[in-house]
Amino acid sequence: MTVTKVPDGYVLTAKDLATGAARWSTTPWWPFDSVRNELPRPEIVTAGGKDYVALSISGNPGDGTLTKGTPTIRIAVYPTDAAGSTAAPLRTIDIPAQEPVALPSAQGALLAYFGDHQAVTAVDVTTGKITSYSTDDVGKPPDAEACRLCGHGNASAGVTSSGPLVRGGGNDFWVPGAWYSPSNVPQGAEAPGGYGEMSQTLTVIDDRIIAGWPAMGKDGRDSDARVWAVHDMSTGKVKASTTCAAGSPRGSKPEDVRPVFSADHRYLVYGILAFDLATGQGRCKGDTATDKGVVFTSVDKDGTAYGHTDGGDASAPVALAIDSGTVTVQPPGTEIPTMILENEAVYLSEDDNRYSVAVCPRR
């Protein structure tokens, strides 16, 4: 998806990864005169088994010489199976914006907009329904007796169909009225102690949460050892986990590490971690006394994860078979894909602030 500025608005164009040809494009979209100086941001949202593109931009409609505008984010929703060169939005949605403005991001089947003081707004792109959760909603503890630190320093970390995902001041996490993390402790992790100091790291990707729990026993609270678990955002249930000596999944270049799904969403990699969400199997390939760590970039739907040894400029390309845990060194000079789609591998590179994209069809 690309967004370009034309004299009378913004045009969204969907391109075929296999050929680079345009599949469809939109009529110019000009949401209001007082847009800010940035391009609208597209987000892909999958809801009800269908993909949509949500194009968001912020501005101050009503702003004039003598009048103040109202800070607003306007969202235009397009189906990804549109056709032709004059696609129009299925609907547009307005939500109040705050300063500084951060545009909405996809959270599973919803768009999430994070406002002031931890308030969060959920947007259903299929209906246009807006659900706002206030600071008070985020501050509600799941159980005052079970979590004595909940309600102090809470932060909104996402939204689910059941409500906001809340990270507690004591590092527990929950969805108010739906589930609470100490009721979903992964195998091998330290049992809850009642003070909410369990999950140390929380990363959200689509409808999954990756959390690091202190490991049981001598390798637990007195060290960096963690049980890394993938939780279902709607229920809190553990989908996969692995025990790891590393206290962080990010390796030596944390700015380059992000969680990535396989095309069918069965497999998930995040830095030194790799998971099979169908079997519950997890792998940790962090640095040890005998082995170099491996940081994974992408994962195929056959359960093969691709990455590099965590060795800076001297790193080597490798592949991991998640089912067996076997790491195989790839031939020197092998390019590791940035992402692997259903039928293509995509390679992104950057040189002097210019990006290039190469796409290789599956054989």
Side-chain angles (χ1 to χ4, degrees):
M1 297 288 175
T2 60
V3 180
T4 54
K5 178 76 165 59
V6 296
D8 52 349
Y10 301 97
V11 172
L12 174 68
T13 302
K15 294 187 177 182
D16 189 310
L17 268 176
T19 65
R23 283 191 174 183
W24 54 268
S25 60
T26 66
T27 56
W29 181 56
W30 188 249
F32 25 64
D33 289 337
S34 56
V35 296
R36 299 174 188 274
N37 294 322
E38 84 267 11
L39 289 174
R41 186 174 76 185
E43 289 276 317
I44 303 296
V45 181
T46 302
K50 187 172 181 177
D51 292 334
Y52 300 87
V53 185
L55 196 64
S56 301
I57 197 166
S58 60
N60 295 289
D63 190 52
T65 304
L66 299 176
T67 59
K68 294 182 178 179
T70 303
T72 300
I73 290 175
R74 181 160 294 173
I75 304 163
V77 180
Y78 301 88
T80 59
D81 58 359
S85 59
T86 58
L90 291 174
R91 61 186 51 84
T92 57
I93 305 163
D94 284 0
I95 58 176
Q98 302 292 332
E99 298 283 356
V101 171
L103 294 176
S105 59
Q107 297 270 322
L110 299 168
L111 278 179
Y113 171 66
F114 300 93
D116 285 348
H117 307 296
Q118 302 305 327
V120 61
T121 299
V123 180
D124 186 331
V125 298
T126 65
T127 64
K129 180 181 178 182
I130 299 170
T131 306
S132 297
Y133 301 99
S134 68
T135 305
D136 290 340
D137 294 321
V138 173
K140 290 178 182 176
D143 184 328
E145 292 299 321
C147 182
R148 300 179 189 179
L149 293 183
C150 298
H152 300 281
N154 292 354
S156 50
V159 291
T160 76
S161 57
S162 301
L165 173 64
V166 182
R167 182 204 305 266
N171 288 320
D172 279 349
F173 55 99
W174 64 89
V175 174
W179 56 267
Y180 177 39
S181 58
S183 299
N184 298 280
V185 181
Q187 184 176 1
E190 190 77 27
Y195 287 89
E197 297 179 350
M198 297 306 302
S199 56
Q200 302 300 308
T201 302
L202 195 64
T203 300
V204 177
I205 174 173
D206 289 353
D207 57 353
R208 298 287 184 256
I209 303 159
I210 306 170
W213 297 74
M216 249 185 213
K218 65 180 182 180
D219 293 328
R221 291 190 178 279
D222 295 331
S223 73
D224 288 334
R226 292 284 179 267
V227 175
W228 291 99
V230 182
H231 296 260
D232 183 277
M233 184 184 283
S234 296
T235 65
K237 299 298 183 185
V238 176
K239 306 299 292 184
S241 64
T242 184
T243 301
C244 190
S248 169
R250 292 178 171 267
S252 62
K253 292 185 176 180
E255 68 278 2
D256 297 330
V257 174
R258 59 189 179 90
V260 176
F261 277 118
S262 59
D264 57 4
H265 275 217
R266 171 173 174 170
Y267 300 98
L268 172 63
V269 295
Y270 180 39
I272 61 176
L273 306 172
F275 300 97
D276 182 342
L277 303 182
T279 66
Q281 176 71 62
R283 301 289 180 185
C284 173
K285 293 299 176 181
D287 187 73
T288 70
T290 57
D291 297 322
K292 292 182 179 179
V294 176
V295 175
F296 300 108
T297 302
S298 56
V299 59
D300 201 356
K301 60 185 180 181
D302 66 356
T304 305
Y306 296 93
H308 292 86
T309 53
D310 193 18
D313 294 336
S315 64
V318 298
L320 164 72
I322 296 176
D323 61 347
S324 67
T326 302
V327 176
T328 305
V329 177
Q330 303 300 290
T334 298
E335 292 290 335
I336 297 299
T338 306
M339 65 183 78
I340 304 174
L341 305 180
E342 188 69 32
N343 296 304
E344 300 90 14
V346 181
Y347 300 81
L348 302 179
S349 60
E350 179 182 3
D351 184 22
D352 294 331
N353 294 320
R354 298 186 59 156
Y355 292 88
S356 61
V357 181
V359 180
C360 296
R362 189 183 297 275
R363 293 180 180 177

